[in-house]
């Protein structure tokens, strides 16, 4: 098996119950920043019987990446809810509250807010011209 997959699995096993990590954070902590998709591939390659809590890995927007048509998305949401993770009305998890490791999300949440503010400013600027 791919050695990087093993690092991913080992890392995901360390995500505490009631917390989540993004694909990108898992990739970075596993030593391959920018390999978020590979993390997704590794988790989808898990055999049925395993001890890797794959449901604790979500996308950078705090959402479940699996299609809502996929029964795995329903299962993932149910498993997270059972562990105490709460979803906002729009379906996102607050990474500032539930993100692991917490320090990884302090800067990520701030960067996301700056980017949203910048996009909003550009839209408003376009309306004024």
């Amino acid at each position: 098996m791919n050695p990087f997959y093993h690092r991913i699995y080992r890392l995901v096993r360390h995500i505490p119950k009631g917390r989540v990590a993004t694909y990108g954070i898992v990739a970075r902590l596993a030593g391959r920043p920018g390999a978020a998709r590979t993390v997704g591939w590794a988790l989808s390659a898990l055999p049925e019987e395993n001890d890797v809590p794959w449901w604790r890995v979500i996308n950078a927007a705090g959402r479940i990446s699996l299609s809502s048509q996929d029964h795995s998305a329903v299962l993932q949401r149910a498993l997270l809810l059972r562990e105490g993770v709460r979803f906002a009305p729009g379906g996102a998890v607050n990474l500032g509250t539930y993100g692991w490791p917490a320090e990884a999300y302090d800067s990520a949440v701030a960067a996301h807010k700056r980017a949203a503010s910048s996009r909003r400013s550009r839209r408003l600027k376009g309306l004024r011209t």
Side-chain angles (χ1 to χ4, degrees):
M1 182 180 284
N2 182 329
F4 184 54
Y5 280 23
H6 279 293
R7 286 199 310 270
I8 291 167
Y9 300 152
R10 190 171 42 248
L11 214 147
V12 171
R13 284 185 190 102
H14 283 91
I15 302 171
K17 191 178 210 178
R19 304 297 295 274
V20 296
T22 65
Y23 295 98
I25 294 293
V26 171
R28 188 171 45 150
L29 292 173
R32 299 248 317 260
R37 286 187 180 183
T38 306
V39 172
W41 295 331
L43 294 176
S44 69
L46 281 167
E48 281 288 318
E49 298 299 319
N50 68 79
D51 64 343
V52 179
W54 58 267
W55 60 89
R56 295 181 186 151
V57 183
I58 59 177
N59 70 27
R63 298 180 180 281
I64 291 173
S65 287
L66 301 167
S67 163
S68 59
Q69 307 299 319
D70 186 348
H71 73 278
S72 297
V74 174
L75 175 61
Q76 184 174 11
R77 183 180 174 94
L79 290 168
L80 288 171
L81 286 169
R82 188 171 73 187
E83 291 185 353
V85 175
R86 297 290 167 239
F87 292 81
V93 171
N94 182 330
L95 293 173
T97 302
Y98 297 104
W100 175 89
E103 59 276 4
Y105 297 95
D106 294 339
S107 60
V109 169
H112 180 71
K113 286 181 181 177
R114 281 193 307 274
S117 176
S118 176
R119 285 190 303 272
R120 197 170 27 259
S121 294
R122 285 194 304 271
R123 275 196 315 269
L124 291 173
K125 185 178 180 181
L127 293 174
R128 284 180 269 189
T129 56

